[in-house]
Amino acid sequence: MSLDLHLDSVHLAYAGARGLHTVVEGFSLTLPAGGIGCLLGPSGCGKTTVLRAVAGFEPVHAGSIRLGAQTVSSAAVHLPPERRRVGMMFQEYALFPHLTAAQNIAFGLRRQPAAQRASRVAEMLALVGLPDAGARPPHALSGGQQQRIALARALAPAPDLLLLDEPFSNLDGATRERLTREVRDILRATGQTALLVTHHEADADAMADWVGRMRDGRLAQWGPAEGVDV
């Protein structure tokens, strides 16, 4: 079941030669369960760092991150990524080249019985509109098809939250426009809470229910898409 996401006054920093270098400061937002959120901003503004902190790849120096009722990150708490039930879809798709599409989707289902795993893979292939692509390796798929398989793999374990890191940046314009709509429809059909980061405003227009603008490590604006100037 998808959960709501809360970030409260989050502070993120890296250790450097002169001490801590602040990347994100005073960052707060609430994304309701089932909502699709988008963080917009130029490269270097901290949006991917926020995504990595939500996933558990970066520690929080102050503030807190909560999924539903559970605090997953704070100065005193750090739940490891594998215990967060957070799915991640990367810019490069990160499909395993030696596995078929079906085997890629099944990768996060290894603890399930074989019959249950096969049923879930078939369900995910149908969900992303590629029911007959299961036996094909990634190199035999187009860029758009690879993206859909990556989405199916991220959704297969039924995560509480899905994170998408610039997932459309490697696609041509026409494919990008089509797939943003397709991904939005899939996420809404499944009721999946999702947070997307991008520097393309068209992605926010096409996908998001909630939109935020980031500048220099701070969230300058956050609210329903119809109330945010994108």
Side-chain angles (χ1 to χ4, degrees), residues 2 34-36 89 105 120 122-131 144-156 158-159 162 164 168 175 177-194 206-209:
S2 291
I36 302 173
M89 186 173 169
I105 296 171
R120 182 63 171 170
E123 180 185 354
M124 291 295 99
L125 285 167
L127 178 67
V128 298
L130 296 170
Q145 290 171 331
Q146 289 183 41
Q147 188 203 48
R148 282 191 265 172
I149 294 299
L151 176 63
R153 184 179 63 180
L155 291 175
L162 178 65
L164 302 100
F168 309 109
T175 303
E177 183 177 351
R178 174 172 55 83
L179 282 175
T180 51
R181 293 195 302 268
E182 291 181 3
V183 170
R184 174 201 62 198
D185 292 345
I186 289 168
L187 295 178
R188 288 182 175 164
T190 57
Q192 178 68 60
T193 311
M207 286 192 64
D209 306 312

Side-chain angles (χ1 to χ4, degrees), residues 33-81:
I36 302 173
C38 179
L39 294 178
L40 275 168
S43 297
C45 72
K47 59 187 186 298
T48 294
T49 303
V50 170
L51 212 67
R52 289 177 56 81
V54 173
F57 300 138
E58 302 288 347
V60 166
H61 291 269
S64 65
I65 300 173
R66 182 161 47 90
L67 269 175
Q70 183 179 27
T71 298
V72 296
S73 286
S74 70
V77 174
H78 184 79
L79 199 68

Side-chain angles (χ1 to χ4, degrees), residues 28 38-40 211-215 218-223 227-230:
S28 299
C38 179
L39 294 178
L40 275 168
V211 177
R213 284 191 174 275
M214 288 192 66
R215 297 189 184 96
R218 291 183 175 273
L219 188 62
Q221 192 178 16
W222 174 258
V228 174
D229 181 17
V230 298

